[in-house]
Amino acid sequence: QVQLVESGGGLVSAGGSLRLSCAASGSIGSINAMGWYRQAPGKQRELVAIINTDSSTNYADSVKGRFTISRDNAKNTVYLQMNSLKPEDTAVYYCNVEVTLIGFRHQTTYWGRGTQVTVSS
């Protein structure tokens, strides 16, 4: 089993910044892709950003130029730096990690429990 511990969410004014962190622990053989998703009330969960093993990244159009995803492989941690926040960024943000468990061959996807980000106007 893998546990994901998220931190950094909270309340911020429009134009402000937050930095989300997600640390993975457990029976980890290797970590593959890592990413962040978000879900606003009444909306579908959507991709925010993904960072792959080769450090290539993919961002939702709505956050390009404002958000930056990064990873620290030694700490099994993924970060999301969020700048120039807008009220429409308000959502629960979920960490997502692809893991190959110790003793296994196939990848397994794990989700964090979510952290609330609220941006006031």
Side-chain angles (χ1 to χ4, degrees):
Q1 182 67 25
V2 171
Q3 297 80 43
L4 305 180
V5 179
E6 299 158 314
S7 63
L11 175 65
V12 67
S13 298
S17 298
L18 287 172
R19 190 185 191 222
L20 306 183
S21 299
C22 175
S25 62
S27 301
I28 299 172
S30 62
I31 294 181
N32 307 110
M34 308 179 78
W36 291 94
Y37 294 72
R38 67 186 182 187
Q39 187 168 23
K43 304 294 184 180
Q44 293 284 341
R45 187 172 300 185
E46 64 175 352
L47 170 71
V48 177
I50 289 177
I51 184 165
N52 301 296
T53 55
D54 63 357
S55 295
S56 63
T57 57
N58 188 35
Y59 294 92
D61 288 342
S62 59
V63 307
K64 287 180 179 177
R66 300 188 298 119
F67 291 10
T68 302
I69 189 170
S70 61
R71 61 193 290 169
D72 186 335
N73 291 328
K75 297 180 179 179
N76 291 336
T77 299
V78 61
Y79 305 94
L80 185 68
Q81 179 67 45
M82 305 185 294
N83 298 326
S84 302
L85 283 162
K86 305 174 181 179
E88 51 262 44
D89 294 318
T90 296
V92 177
Y93 284 69
Y94 296 91
C95 177
N96 178 270
V97 179
E98 294 179 346
V99 176
T100 299
L101 299 174
I102 295 174
F104 292 81
R105 297 179 180 179
H106 303 293
Q107 297 179 20
T108 302
T109 299
Y110 289 89
W111 290 92
R113 299 186 69 174
T115 183
Q116 178 70 47
V117 171
T118 302
V119 184
S120 62
S121 60

